[in-house]
Amino acid sequence: MSFEKFKLHPILLEAISTIGYEAPTLVQDQTIPVVLDGKDVITSAQTGTGKTAAFAIPILQGLITSQEASKPNKKIKALIVSPTRELAIQIAKNFKSYGKHSNIRSAMIYGGTEIEPQKELLAKGIDILVATPGRLLDLHKQDLLNLDYIRTLVLDEADLMLAMGFIDDVKKIERLCPEDKQTLLFSATIPYRIEQLANQILNNPERIEIGQNDSVASSVHQLLFYVSKRHKISLCLHLLNNTVSGSILIFRRTKFGVDKLYERLKDEGFKVERIHGNRNQNERQKALADFKRNRVNILIATDVAARGIDISELDAVINFDMPNIPETYVHRIGRTGRAGRAGEAFSLCSADEKNYVKSIEQFINDQIPVENNHPFPLDPNAKPIIHKKKGSKHKKGRKSAASKKKKRRWYK
Ligand code: AMP
């Protein structure tokens, strides 16, 4: 069934057909009619399912039809809050292409870049604003934007906003918008605190669940390599030289780890780029563009930097560090093997990460096949190395607010 069943405005249907979408995806099929009806929605869906169009198309439809009755003005009518700059850029791009035959004006604002051009954009007047939480609040504090006329608020990748420590900012933003607005919450997973947030801010929402969060596509060929920590780089090089080819996304847990591996692969002559929270906006955009256009075939990323970015058609994912959250494993490897294509997911596990594998296997209810035939096998008796500071006064399980904040920054 095509998009026509939603009774969209002809200029929207024309744009959708030019882009080449033939039929709505599952998340669009279920979410678009509910949003058009004006209801609040909580949708669990991952990037890659088409969730951006699931909120962008009905928002545009509402604005186009109401614009026919009223003159364009300087009031922001729809606000989309995104945790990362990359996702904000992607969302804004989608709004522009779906709304290209209309005169709806959309813009984006995000941190880590000059504020002046964003002030100018806001002064010109826009209908749809895509924003990251910090910069949005910053501009609001300076009285440079008004959220009094918001009709629809979208919170995208809500679980990632929680993980990045934005939840209080999100609550503040919600309170700055009118009480009778429509709120749409999208999240890959619905942990307890997101459920709580939804209960606080959504009004009798419709619940839509897309895809099983614990399922791994059968087109993904998974392999687990047990290896000591100090041999991980050698094993990674061995795999890149002998086993995997094509476009490869490598995940590391920390920004420092991303940089270290990047330098080494570059020295070895690989075409490689990297993204993490310490790189500035231009660097991150360029890295992503070079990877998408095949100028480099390897991208190294932290989870947070890679989440929400539409990188599809990957040939392989390498988990250089095992993720400590089972859902993250599923998200990471779900980036390959899409649309029925075969994909590889290689995971390098050191002695201290064996427990992560156990949790992942419980979560996916399956065993990841182990490849023992490689040049750097882990000594089966190897015990995890636990680094303890001599005379440390820290009590186990109690972390200071400063150390938690530091950790959050480290993982971005
Ligand atoms: P998203 O999950 O919103 O990041 O979308 C993932 C990808 O799916 C993007 O490249 C979209 O352009 C594409 N997409 C979204 N909706 C459709 C559709 N109905 N048919 C084909 N591709 C789509």
Side-chain angles (χ1 to χ4, degrees):
M1 259 297 228
S2 80
F3 283 89
E4 266 149 36
K5 68 176 171 185
F6 301 127
K7 302 195 169 53
L8 300 174
H9 196 284
I11 58 176
L12 265 178
L13 286 175
E14 192 188 337
I16 293 168
S17 136
T18 317
I19 298 164
Y21 296 175
E22 285 172 6
T25 64
L26 200 57
V27 67
Q28 292 160 5
D29 217 22
Q30 298 194 25
T31 310
I32 292 176
V34 185
V35 181
L36 286 173
D37 253 6
K39 291 188 187 142
D40 283 4
V41 175
I42 171 164
T43 297
S44 61
Q46 296 174 21
T47 298
T49 52
K51 69 180 167 65
T52 315
F55 60 79
I57 289 173
I59 287 177
L60 284 164
Q61 165 76 8
L63 293 179
I64 291 167
T65 44
S66 67
Q67 213 186 28
E68 283 179 350
S70 69
K71 276 189 183 166
N73 50 38
K74 286 196 173 185
K75 295 170 182 168
I76 304 171
K77 296 159 204 89
L79 172 65
I80 294 85
V81 185
S82 145
T84 65
R85 296 170 260 188
E86 282 78 6
L87 185 59
I89 292 168
Q90 210 166 274
I91 296 169
K93 219 165 94 188
N94 282 18
F95 268 105
K96 287 239 180 319
S97 61
Y98 305 142
K100 70 176 174 189
H101 300 303
S102 74
N103 52 4
I104 303 286
R105 298 149 307 166
S106 54
M108 61 185 159
I109 54 169
Y110 47 76
T113 181
E114 271 183 69
I115 205 162
E116 287 307 320
Q118 299 181 355
K119 286 183 184 172
E120 284 164 25
L121 259 178
L122 292 171
K124 277 187 201 153
I126 47 168
D127 302 293
I128 301 170
L129 181 64
V130 186
T132 54
R135 179 59 60 96
L136 179 74
L137 287 173
D138 193 3
L139 285 159
H140 188 271
K141 221 195 275 170
Q142 297 183 45
D143 244 350
L144 293 166
L145 64 88
N146 184 350
L147 301 178
D148 292 349
Y149 300 95
I150 296 293
R151 288 188 220 152
T152 308
L153 169 68
V154 182
L155 304 175
D156 199 13
E157 298 272 349
D159 54 347
L160 188 53
M161 297 214 251
L162 176 73
M164 290 172 74
F166 288 146
I167 217 72
D168 289 335
D169 284 353
V170 168
K171 286 182 188 166
K172 240 183 253 169
I173 292 166
E174 191 276 332
R175 285 195 300 268
L176 294 172
C177 301
E179 217 169 298
D180 63 352
K181 68 191 170 301
Q182 177 184 36
T183 308
L184 317 175
L185 187 149
F186 288 78
S187 200
T189 58
I190 313 283
Y192 177 66
R193 288 195 59 200
I194 293 299
E195 191 71 52
Q196 268 186 326
L197 176 76
N199 287 339
Q200 276 170 23
I201 66 172
L202 301 187
N203 179 19
N204 196 15
E206 193 90 16
R207 287 181 169 270
I208 295 166
E209 269 179 52
I210 303 298
Q212 287 260 315
N213 287 326
D214 59 352
S215 64
V216 174
S218 57
S219 50
V220 181
H221 173 230
Q222 304 171 68
L223 271 187
L224 185 61
F225 297 78
Y226 285 108
V227 58
S228 71
K229 239 185 176 53
R230 69 192 171 94
H231 282 134
K232 275 197 177 184
I233 287 196
S234 307
L235 177 57
C236 184
L237 285 169
H238 172 79
L239 292 174
L240 293 173
N241 282 319
N242 303 289
T243 316
V244 277
S245 58
S247 61
I248 303 158
L249 181 57
I250 305 181
F251 284 99
R252 291 225 59 178
R253 194 172 304 132
T254 65
K255 302 168 195 175
F256 171 75
V258 169
D259 286 341
K260 192 172 161 199
L261 184 62
Y262 167 80
E263 294 301 338
R264 181 63 194 271
L265 295 189
K266 223 169 76 159
D267 286 349
E268 296 286 335
F270 287 100
K271 288 183 176 166
V272 57
E273 256 304 349
R274 70 200 147 131
I275 49 170
H276 59 60
N278 274 4
R279 305 206 75 209
N280 72 34
Q281 187 51 32
N282 286 344
E283 291 169 336
R284 285 162 74 155
Q285 279 305 108
K286 185 182 175 302
L288 209 55
D290 282 355
F291 185 63
K292 285 189 176 182
R293 290 186 195 131
N294 285 326
R295 285 199 201 110
V296 300
N297 68 314
I298 302 173
L299 180 68
I300 313 171
T302 56
D303 286 304
V304 170
R307 246 311 264 285
I309 300 171
D310 176 29
I311 313 172
S312 46
E313 305 196 4
L314 284 175
D315 293 299
V317 165
I318 297 179
N319 293 312
F320 192 100
D321 301 303
M322 290 307 292
N324 57 350
I325 301 169
E327 280 102 329
T328 304
Y329 177 80
V330 178
H331 287 165
R332 285 184 182 181
I333 74 168
R335 289 177 172 276
T336 184
R338 279 193 183 163
R341 291 175 72 219
E344 315 250 32
F346 292 163
S347 301
L348 316 189
C349 175
S350 51
D352 57 328
E353 295 172 317
K354 283 183 175 174
N355 278 340
Y356 300 159
V357 172
K358 260 194 218 160
S359 319
I360 292 166
E361 291 186 331
Q362 268 171 8
F363 182 71
I364 61 174
N365 202 12
D366 204 356
Q367 280 201 321
I368 310 171
V370 178
E371 177 59 79
N372 290 314
N373 189 14
H374 68 84
F376 310 98
L378 180 69
D379 171 1
N381 299 317
K383 290 258 184 335
I385 305 161
I386 298 166
H387 298 283
K388 257 191 189 166
K389 267 193 197 158
K390 264 190 192 164
S392 167
K393 284 181 190 156
H394 289 297
K395 288 206 180 114
K396 206 179 155 199
R398 295 187 70 186
K399 285 197 178 123
S400 68
S403 94
K404 279 183 194 162
K405 194 172 169 203
K406 191 170 165 201
K407 187 173 173 197
R408 275 204 301 265
R409 269 193 282 119
W410 186 241
Y411 275 71
K412 273 179 217 171

